[in-house]
Amino acid sequence: MNIVDLHVHSNKSDGSLSPTELVTYALQKGLSAFALTDHDTTDGIEEALEAARCINAQNKNASGQTIEVIPGIEFSSEYEGKDIHVVGLYIDYKSDFFRRRLQNFVNGRTIRNREMCRRLTDYGFPVTYEELQSEFPNCVITRSHYAKFMLNHGYTKTLKEAFDRYIGDGCPCFVPRKKITPMRAVEIILKADGFPVLAHPLLYHLSSAKLDELVCLLKKMGLQGLEAVYSTHDGSDEREMRALAAKYDLCISGGSDFHGNAKPGLDLATGYGKLFIPQEILDKIKERRKWMNAHPGKLLPTKILFTDLDGTLLDSGKQISPYTREVLEKWVQAGHKLALCSGRDVNSVKDVKSYLHLDLPNMYVIGYNGGQIYDCTKGKTIHRTALTLTQTAHILEEAEKHGIHVHTYTETNIVSPRQDEELVYYRRVIKTPVIINPNVMDVLTQGPCKCIGIELKDPEKMENFRLSLLPWAQEEGVSMLYSSSYYLEFFPAASGKGAAVKTLCRLLGIDPHFSVAVGDAQNDLSMIEAAGMGIAMINGCNDVKMAATTITAYDNDHDGLAHALVDLI
């Protein structure tokens, strides 16, 4: 009976054999097929395919054995603090889409590796990223390469010492790399015409309930396989994973996770001696791939985009380009939903929607940093969270003492104690009508969704005002966030853009893991963190960039949002 191995690594990531050597060794082991699934790279696939072509041509003429090399990848992702791996089989590794996605991984790794080199150097172990690349040419640099470098240069006595004292999780020179979610990994593989498989599910040490929850989520995103046959599985483990795969109608996959001498005792095809992966497993995967190609629409879940306005969706002229409009139209035409999410009042956000002529289906408007959600199709508010009148009065009173402009809102108007320079500045963009009344509280009939403080000339004055209110705000459950260098916003802690993401997803029955959020400022931070995929504008603040999964390649004046979104449709 023919055997296969659908999880194999070369020296293009952290294995020891070259792609060509793997092909030769696979033939020696009697394999009819193997998948080259290096970590976050496809650099070895072309070499492996060419080696297989040459060997197959020779063996075919001699009526000998031939071998299939399956183009693959193993994505590292993160789910609830766990490192989760998703294998992609039969990926179109040459597609423009896939190349763009991998370049994002490369950029993230480079940033992380340079920072780890800096920390090691500061710790007394001088190393540059260029030295690492020179010592390990044509490799994706991982922590194992750092450990080898430190051992080779006498900085440690063993590889274990390097991990235990310096570069392991939580150690002083370790820098965590921001990872995509496993749901996003599945989506990328599907968009590259690949077959997504959850790798070695028992290695994550999740409870049965948590593993079931993860597999359920991944199935909704389009997961097609589960690696039930694996080197470390005993009979009971395999039966448990086969039952889980059957529950969610997933194909069985199998792999040794071969790394050469990087994992002593673990061999190709046979694992630790008892592994056996029959050709039948691959045949069933191929059958499922035919079905996938015939029913592409069944693999796409409904997603929702939450986008900030200023500095994100809008350019410096408060407009959107034809290309951005085209991408947004394609987004909703694909059945996805769109929410314009801003610190502005809802009426101002609706004005933006109107003057941009964004008359698209499945649209929502979120104002006041998540305090109010408006359904554009139904023409009504579907959620509202507000400050109390007592809290509002306190903010206004303290603002007067500190000489800070603060105004608030009714359902239809801005309410300000005076017409001053700050209000004029604010209204150069915000056209919501104004009520001027020295006693703002006389105008309000209900608690407002937010108040906003404005200081145009003295940021220290504004910061002192914020600090003076901090103990009160913490006790009252009031959030205070800068939405720009001039604006300090006050709203309920139960509100916020992140809360709006969760609330609207719940109201629409969309899993938050299938949400996308894009922003640039501090008041976007909770939204970026709450969404399944957080995207920071390259023109955004550092806090948002650190929290995001992805940073746009372009700013808001050059279609940064649209270029990031087009691959998510």
Side-chain angles (χ1 to χ4, degrees):
M1 177 183 288
N2 288 337
I3 57 172
V4 300
D5 194 333
L6 304 180
H7 188 163
V8 176
H9 297 275
S10 77
N11 62 1
K12 296 301 181 180
S13 61
D14 54 352
S16 63
L17 298 185
S18 72
T20 298
E21 290 169 334
L22 274 176
V23 173
T24 301
Y25 190 48
L27 281 166
Q28 292 174 8
K29 296 290 291 185
L31 290 172
S32 60
F34 78 91
L36 181 56
T37 56
D38 280 321
H39 293 286
D40 300 335
T41 182
T42 58
D43 287 351
I45 290 177
E46 199 62 44
E47 179 185 336
L49 289 172
E50 180 58 30
R53 278 192 289 267
C54 292
I55 290 174
N56 288 344
Q58 295 171 1
N59 289 353
K60 186 176 181 181
N61 293 335
S63 299
Q65 180 187 1
T66 59
I67 190 164
E68 176 188 2
V69 172
I70 299 167
I73 194 166
E74 184 175 10
F75 279 123
S76 299
S77 67
E78 187 174 333
Y79 174 75
E80 297 187 353
K82 295 283 188 178
D83 188 28
I84 306 296
H85 291 186
V86 181
V87 163
L89 305 175
Y90 291 107
I91 55 170
D92 182 1
Y93 63 98
K94 292 183 178 181
S95 71
D96 289 340
F97 162 78
F98 198 73
R99 289 178 184 275
R100 287 195 300 272
R101 293 304 94 207
L102 282 192
Q103 189 58 49
N104 280 349
F105 284 102
V106 171
N107 293 343
R109 278 198 304 265
T110 301
I111 292 170
R112 177 218 195 198
N113 282 328
R114 289 189 183 281
E115 176 60 18
M116 283 188 66
C117 287
R118 185 192 68 76
R119 293 189 185 188
L120 283 166
T121 299
D122 289 348
Y123 221 75
F125 308 127
V127 56
T128 66
Y129 184 50
E130 287 70 25
E131 286 177 298
L132 275 172
Q133 289 179 307
S134 176
E135 189 152 328
F136 304 103
N138 303 315
C139 288
V140 175
I141 302 297
T142 66
R143 279 188 284 177
S144 66
H145 296 104
Y146 282 93
K148 291 174 185 176
F149 183 93
M150 296 176 76
L151 180 64
N152 294 344
H153 291 262
Y155 297 147
T156 60
K157 294 181 179 179
T158 64
L159 297 175
K160 186 176 184 297
E161 180 188 356
F163 277 94
D164 289 348
R165 298 184 62 183
Y166 306 110
I167 61 173
D169 291 358
C171 292
C173 300
F174 171 62
V175 178
R177 180 165 62 89
K178 195 71 180 178
K179 296 178 182 177
I180 61 172
T181 65
M183 284 66 74
R184 177 62 178 146
V186 168
E187 183 180 28
I188 291 171
I189 292 166
L190 287 172
K191 285 181 177 289
D193 295 327
F195 190 92
V197 176
L198 179 61
H200 40 64
L202 290 178
L203 292 191
Y204 312 128
H205 304 294
L206 296 168
S207 67
S208 296
K210 276 292 182 183
L211 180 57
D212 190 284
E213 177 183 294
L214 173 60
V215 172
C216 181
L217 275 173
L218 294 177
K219 174 65 177 180
K220 291 177 182 177
M221 184 56 84
L223 184 72
Q224 297 298 315
L226 189 74
E227 196 171 57
V229 186
Y230 186 68
S231 292
T232 60
H233 288 181
D234 59 22
S236 175
D237 293 334
E238 184 174 325
R239 285 191 297 273
E240 180 185 353
M241 291 303 96
R242 283 181 176 273
L244 183 60
K247 178 178 178 179
Y248 290 103
D249 188 30
L250 298 173
C251 286
I252 299 299
S253 186
S256 64
D257 203 359
F258 177 68
H259 284 70
N261 60 24
K263 285 189 176 182
L266 177 63
D267 204 357
L268 184 69
T270 55
Y272 289 108
K274 297 182 178 180
L275 186 68
F276 179 77
I277 310 163
Q279 175 73 37
E280 177 189 3
I281 282 179
L282 182 56
D283 291 340
K284 289 184 177 180
I285 287 174
K286 290 180 177 181
E287 289 176 15
R288 177 68 67 89
R289 287 192 72 230
K290 290 181 181 178
W291 179 89
M292 292 167 63
N293 291 333
H295 303 86
K298 292 185 178 292
L299 303 176
L300 298 175
T302 297
K303 290 181 285 188
I304 181 167
L305 168 67
F306 295 85
T307 175
D308 176 50
L309 295 183
D310 303 299
T312 302
L313 175 66
L314 304 179
D315 61 23
S316 298
K318 307 301 179 184
Q319 299 291 329
I320 61 173
S321 72
Y323 178 63
T324 293
R325 181 183 300 279
E326 177 187 344
V327 171
L328 291 177
E329 289 174 350
K330 288 181 178 179
W331 176 264
V332 296
Q333 286 168 3
H336 305 313
K337 301 181 187 298
L338 171 62
L340 306 182
C341 195
S342 175
R344 302 184 187 201
D345 64 274
V346 162
N347 291 313
S348 179
V349 184
K350 287 161 66 177
D351 286 343
V352 172
K353 176 182 178 299
S354 178
Y355 80 68
L356 292 177
H357 303 292
L358 277 178
D359 302 317
L360 304 174
N362 300 321
M363 279 195 69
Y364 299 83
V365 162
I366 301 174
Y368 303 115
N369 286 317
Q372 186 174 353
I373 303 175
Y374 181 85
D375 186 327
C376 298
T377 302
K378 295 180 179 178
K380 67 176 186 179
T381 294
I382 57 176
H383 179 79
R384 187 177 189 274
T385 305
L387 298 164
T388 67
L389 288 172
T390 302
Q391 290 170 339
T392 306
H394 184 74
I395 294 167
L396 290 165
E397 288 167 6
E398 292 301 307
E400 285 295 322
K401 292 178 185 177
H402 287 79
I404 296 289
H405 168 96
V406 168
H407 68 249
T408 189
Y409 308 83
T410 66
E411 285 293 316
T412 56
N413 293 78
I414 296 169
V415 187
S416 176
R418 65 187 63 84
Q419 178 76 24
D420 53 19
E421 180 183 6
E422 286 77 18
L423 184 62
V424 171
Y425 180 83
Y426 182 77
R427 294 202 69 237
R428 79 199 190 285
V429 173
I430 309 298
K431 304 306 180 184
T432 304
V434 180
I435 296 173
I436 303 294
N437 190 316
N439 191 346
V440 170
M441 298 307 297
D442 287 347
V443 181
L444 301 180
T445 59
Q446 62 177 344
C449 290
K450 80 166 187 176
C451 297
I452 183 168
I454 305 176
E455 173 52 52
L456 302 176
K457 299 174 182 176
D458 189 349
E460 186 176 352
K461 181 180 176 182
M462 177 69 92
E463 179 61 7
N464 288 336
F465 172 52
R466 187 189 72 85
L467 291 174
S468 72
L469 282 170
L470 193 55
W472 170 85
Q474 290 173 339
E475 183 176 341
E476 287 288 319
V478 173
S479 292
M480 299 186 294
L481 290 178
Y482 287 104
S483 56
S484 79
S485 56
Y486 301 139
Y487 297 166
L488 179 64
E489 310 212 4
F490 302 81
F491 51 90
S495 182
K497 292 186 177 182
V501 169
K502 296 174 184 176
T503 298
L504 187 52
C505 284
R506 175 176 54 80
L507 292 173
L508 298 177
I510 297 175
D511 193 295
H513 287 98
F514 303 151
S515 63
V516 181
V518 192
D520 70 305
Q522 191 182 45
N523 67 330
D524 298 318
L525 189 58
S526 65
M527 179 174 73
I528 295 289
E529 292 174 337
M533 180 177 185
I535 301 176
M537 298 298 294
I538 197 170
N539 51 281
C541 69
N542 286 334
D543 286 348
V544 172
K545 291 178 183 176
M546 288 297 291
T549 307
T550 300
I551 301 173
T552 63
Y554 305 97
D555 63 22
N556 63 309
D557 284 325
H558 299 88
D559 298 311
L561 181 151
H563 285 293
L565 188 64
V566 70
D567 285 340
L568 301 176
I569 296 173

